[in-house]
Amino acid sequence: MTASAKCLIVQPIHQIGFEVLRRAGIIPVLCPDPSPETVLRMIPECSAVITRDAGLNAEAIAAAGALRVIAVHGTGHDPVDKPAAAAAGAIICTTPGANARSVAELTLGLALALARRIPAADQAVRGGTAGYRERESFTELNGKTALIVGWGQIGRLVGAMFSNGLGMEILAYSPRIANIRGARKVDDLRAGLARAHLVSLHTPLRFETANMFDAEAFAAMRPGVLLVNTDLAGLIDEAALVHALESGVVAGAALDLFSPEAPTGPLGRDPRVILTPHLGGSTEEALASTARVAAEN
């Protein structure tokens, strides 16, 4: 890129990202909003783009004219039109590991919140509901079995936290990783689900993982399982999850990503379900690290 190159910032990033760009002689151009119309209007003459979950569509890529780099603020690049980027000769970069600690810590927090039903207990106290502690049941995670689906950087951190911090037995299902350390490798997902008291999702969304948690997967689970998803919404068939909650197979679910309809549907109305607004990589530390790596890319 030349000294006059421009980088379109589709969604706000940490200030350190702007500083890295400016030090390299690149002019950051911040979108006032991430709508496709706004991006299309502002992207011409930009040599690079930094985008978060808004992604970048084919029309915007074509309109840029001389786009060379699409830097994703995070690891999920599904919202970026990859065939269009390839046709334009633009490289797609992600920031693997930059927010791994942040996501892992949220996963731990959600697991504890499910086991002790913390959000529902808070609402009971605020609403003046008496007898909540006596009416509901709670569980410890110590000595239980956790199945980690996806043994990448986040999955490994989560496994270590569950094992070292909570004394849990760790199973790992990750077909693309041959040698798994720190967990007992599970080759068959259904067999792992049958043993797990807690299932935590940390696998990329691919053709073979889309809706991998469907009715058959939930049927393979032991009754009363806890489910945590701090990865991608498309991994779970939400209608199947609703049925699993109704039948008691799933005792509680914590979702950091979900469909737009989930908060106003059966999942949003179920007090055993925790919904958080994609908080996984939203710590100050993770935002700074991810913005820096995206800008360096």
Side-chain angles (χ1 to χ4, degrees):
M1 296 183 187
T2 66
S4 60
K6 295 180 180 179
C7 178
L8 185 67
I9 313 295
V10 176
Q11 294 157 286
I13 64 173
H14 194 278
Q15 187 60 36
I16 194 171
F18 289 87
E19 295 171 2
V20 170
L21 292 173
R22 292 190 182 106
R23 285 199 299 268
I26 300 170
I27 303 171
V29 180
L30 178 61
C31 281
D33 67 79
S35 69
E37 297 78 15
T38 300
V39 173
L40 189 63
R41 173 172 56 85
M42 300 186 68
I43 201 171
E45 299 183 2
C46 286
S47 303
V49 170
I50 294 179
T51 183
R52 298 178 69 173
D53 54 355
L56 200 66
N57 63 29
E59 189 177 9
I61 292 171
L67 192 61
R68 296 180 61 184
V69 179
I70 302 170
V72 178
H73 185 283
T75 56
H77 49 73
D78 297 285
V80 176
D81 192 309
K82 287 175 279 295
I91 298 171
I92 299 174
C93 306
T94 61
T95 60
N99 63 6
R101 171 65 60 173
S102 178
V103 177
E105 289 189 7
L106 177 66
T107 302
L108 175 62
L110 290 175
L112 291 169
L114 283 176
R116 303 303 293 270
R117 303 202 62 188
I118 294 172
D122 175 79
Q123 289 302 310
V125 172
R126 294 175 188 272
T129 304
Y132 179 83
R133 183 181 65 180
E134 291 75 23
R135 186 173 63 253
E136 302 295 337
S137 61
F138 315 94
T139 186
E140 294 181 6
L141 295 177
N142 175 256
K144 304 297 196 305
T145 299
L147 173 64
I148 311 298
V149 180
W151 198 248
Q153 292 190 55
I154 297 172
R156 293 195 298 271
L157 280 171
V158 170
M161 289 179 180
F162 285 171
S163 175
N164 299 332
L166 298 174
M168 301 186 76
E169 178 187 5
I170 309 301
L171 308 178
Y173 176 76
S174 194
R176 297 193 179 199
I177 298 180
N179 299 316
I180 289 179
R181 297 178 180 177
R184 185 182 300 275
K185 183 175 174 60
V186 175
D187 293 317
D188 179 68
L189 177 61
R190 302 294 188 268
L193 293 175
R195 295 178 56 189
H197 300 89
L198 170 71
V199 178
S200 190
L201 310 188
H202 305 284
T203 188
L205 182 62
R206 304 187 183 97
F207 175 79
E208 67 268 24
T209 62
N211 282 334
M212 69 185 300
F213 282 82
D214 55 10
E216 290 186 6
F218 286 115
M221 294 180 179
R222 64 187 302 159
V225 70
L226 301 177
L227 177 65
V228 181
N229 182 18
T230 53
D231 205 322
L232 296 167
L235 300 172
I236 297 175
D237 180 334
E238 292 183 353
L241 173 57
V242 170
H243 179 72
L245 285 160
E246 292 173 345
S247 67
V249 170
V250 175
L255 311 176
D256 194 38
L257 300 101
F258 38 80
S259 71
E261 301 79 23
T264 56
L267 291 176
R269 293 191 293 269
D270 193 323
R272 297 169 297 172
V273 176
I274 301 171
L275 301 177
T276 51
H278 201 177
L279 294 177
S282 295
T283 60
E284 185 72 13
E285 295 85 353
L287 289 172
S289 177
T290 307
R292 177 182 53 79
V293 176
E296 289 173 349
N297 284 341

